[in-house]
Amino acid sequence: MRISDGQLQLSATDVAKHLACRHVTTLDMLAVLKKIERPYWHDPGVAVLEERGLRHEAAYLQHLKDLRYDVLADDDGCHNGLRIDRTVNAMRSGAGAIAQADLQNGRWRGRADVLLRVDRPSDLGNWSYEVVDTKLARETRGGTILQLCLYSELVAQIQGLMPDRMHVVSPGQGFQPETFRLHDFLAYYRFVKSRLEKAVAENEILTTYPDPVELCDICQWWPRCNDRRRADDHLSFVAGILKLQIGQLSNWGITTLAGLATMRLPLSNRPERGAPDGYAKVREQARLQLEYRTTGTPVYELLPPEPERGLAKLPAPSSGDVFLDFEADPFVEEGGLEYLLGYVTLLDTGEPEYTSMWAFDRGSGRRIFESFIDFVMERRSNYPDLHIYHFSQYETTALKRLMGRYATREDEIDRLLRAGVFVDLHGVVKQSLRASVERYSLKDLEVFFGFERKTDLRDAKQSLRNLECALELNQVGAVGQEVLNTVESYNREDCVSTLRLRNWLEGIRRNLILAGKEISRPTVQTGDPAEAVDERRKRALALMERLLRGVSEDPLQRTRDEHARWLLAHMLEWHRREEKAPWWEYFRLCGLTDEELLEERSGISGLEFIKRVGGTELCPIDRYQFPPQDTQIREGDSLETSTGSFGTVEAIDNATRTLD
Ligand code: SF4
């Protein structure tokens, strides 16, 4: 957004930002009108992302050249008007691909990564152009689609023809574009665009509010918006509150944490969105946070014990227990890198002993993954009752991903998962107690078990940032030892803190038992596979071993024949490996509460039976009403609950919110 020759100009970025947050349009507008100062914002992570984006785009252009496209490269030297002329001239001359194509029509402007010539006649001749965006993200977001729609519209006014398609090229797909039909998105694009035009025309300053959204993480206005929310005691500071609950509470006239903390229970109105229980929970959460704010003393209270949940998920401590923590960067290479694996075990004296394993590339990533799993398997033979404690689901998700990526240690990971060796203490905390914290993070909870960190968290964050920027740009050699030491200290303290949290929870459990409560331990599982699976797997592994005999792990060292054998060997277990992911997802969804499921697109929650609408006596079709939620459930999907099959979706209507 900018003013040029007295006219407000809008770009594709403005449309994408408006889609993500209406308030950002207000603030950008006020800054352009010089009514507020645009804050200085420097995020080295964003600079690295830009650099990686440029590299990806350059690689794609090289790919086009290899395919014998005549590519008109970027010419950054000239000013805006000339750059637009350059695009128009290049389109008229029929260039195969135009990089960094500046486009403008009236107040709308944009710079498309690439315009690609296609054999479809237009005003230009026997050809026309389609827009290609080179994006780092593996999943195409709504904002990207809207940007592509705007570029396509700007291209259309030059060539007199609306392109049929638009494309996104992500890294690691052999530059195979993901193609979208423009007409599928035009109506929505025009809706958002006109909403933005209306917003800047009327200036919504009095009506937009900085409700927290995903964009806040990388938004330059964050300090200002956060200050405003703090000053307003906004409901978003209540730990675990859902967006739909904030909306419902606002409808009831409750807009502050303090207001929620004193809301009368039981509820006098039935909420239109979400279950009443969920409102009682956030009310109690707000009450504790308000108490802490008023007294300055952190407080927690225990939730009523439930079988197989909360403290009942704590296995008996073992001398062989392991406390694990990863440091990872999702933007390194394709699919990210777990670059530091740290764990703590207990010495005979009971003191924690820390071990760290670093990986700066995929090869060493594989090695540290294998070393860790081998270490655990060997340790299990000495301590069959050991468990691996971690905080949040990241560690188990990462181990499953590494297993799939490197196609190694599959049996071992399966065995550990089946045996329930991993214990997520974040889940245990959330299900067993309520605390006066804004976030149930390890660091926020440390005040309760008296863990004091020696590594300054700001230094640690800065070092993590520096290291990750270097990893993403493949310049890790330039990182100083001091940075590595700080990251390692931070990781060590996370591991030790996890141990201290486990001990604190054990103490609570002990006290409850002394007070006469019954809290069971999880059932001990061997982790052995079902016999049939085991037999089949043994045969597959034997065949795999024969195929891989003498074949190098390094693809560059393989002959064509060896590479074919390598592929064949890994295809043997491909289906089995692929089938695991839906089951992991199923178990993850089973672990969510009804309220959490309301915000989970892969599930649906809060179904209420309305009536029987057809089918047979043996196979009836029932209609259910569901509360407002964004769901991916579609006709033909099978629905599963934690206790088994619920049926198949005959029809779903998001407008009336009914499901048959
Ligand atoms: S910080 Fe968040 S709420 Fe504020 S303008 Fe940016 S995206 Fe919107």
Side-chain angles (χ1 to χ4, degrees), residues 311-347:
L311 295 172
K313 279 186 170 172
L314 284 178
S318 154
S319 312
D321 285 338
V322 179
F323 300 85
L324 170 69
D325 186 49
F326 274 118
E327 305 304 332
D329 181 347
F331 301 113
V332 179
E333 297 183 28
E334 190 195 333
L337 180 73
E338 276 65 30
Y339 59 83
L340 175 58
L341 187 160
Y343 63 87
V344 152
T345 49
L346 293 172
L347 296 168

Side-chain angles (χ1 to χ4, degrees), residues 155-345:
V155 163
Q157 54 84 31
I158 300 172
Q159 63 188 21
L161 176 82
M162 192 60 107
D164 259 348
R165 304 170 306 169
M166 48 197 188
H167 317 269
V168 177
V169 174
S170 309
Q173 315 283 329
F175 300 110
Q176 273 303 311
E178 189 181 6
T179 296
F180 300 89
R181 262 174 45 87
L182 181 64
H183 289 274
D184 290 347
F185 301 95
L186 271 182
Y188 183 59
Y189 155 70
R190 286 182 180 137
F191 166 73
V192 178
K193 186 181 161 202
S194 72
R195 202 178 71 182
L196 170 60
E197 282 182 317
K198 199 160 158 267
V200 294
E202 293 174 0
N203 193 357
E204 291 183 331
I205 183 67
L206 295 177
T207 57
T208 61
Y209 188 84
D211 289 307
V213 290
E214 211 179 310
L215 180 67
C216 294
D217 290 343
I218 51 164
C219 179
Q220 65 182 155
W221 296 109
W222 186 83
R224 181 187 180 100
C225 294
N226 194 50
D227 286 351
R228 166 100 183 262
R229 291 191 287 258
R230 283 274 172 220
D232 293 346
D233 192 22
H234 193 253
L235 285 169
S236 58
F237 293 111
V238 179
I241 196 164
L242 303 176
K243 250 194 229 162
L244 67 91
Q245 291 170 328
I246 293 179
Q248 175 67 79
L249 289 165
S250 304
N251 290 346
W252 288 340
I254 298 170
T255 56
T256 62
L257 183 150
L260 175 58
T262 51
M263 180 177 79
R264 187 177 296 202
L265 286 180
L267 299 176
S268 42
N269 299 319
R270 188 175 166 74
E272 286 163 28
R273 306 176 136 229
D277 267 7
Y279 289 86
K281 279 185 195 155
V282 290
R283 189 272 198 185
E284 295 301 80
Q285 177 63 38
R287 176 177 56 77
L288 283 195
Q289 286 182 232
L290 183 65
E291 184 178 335
Y292 174 39
R293 195 198 290 172
T294 318
T295 63
T297 308
V299 277
Y300 72 90
E301 54 194 28
L302 297 175
L303 302 175
E306 288 180 73
E308 296 177 27
R309 285 173 67 82
L311 295 172
K313 279 186 170 172
L314 284 178
S318 154
S319 312
D321 285 338
V322 179
F323 300 85
L324 170 69
D325 186 49
F326 274 118
E327 305 304 332
D329 181 347
F331 301 113
V332 179
E333 297 183 28
E334 190 195 333
L337 180 73
E338 276 65 30
Y339 59 83
L340 175 58
L341 187 160
Y343 63 87
V344 152
T345 49

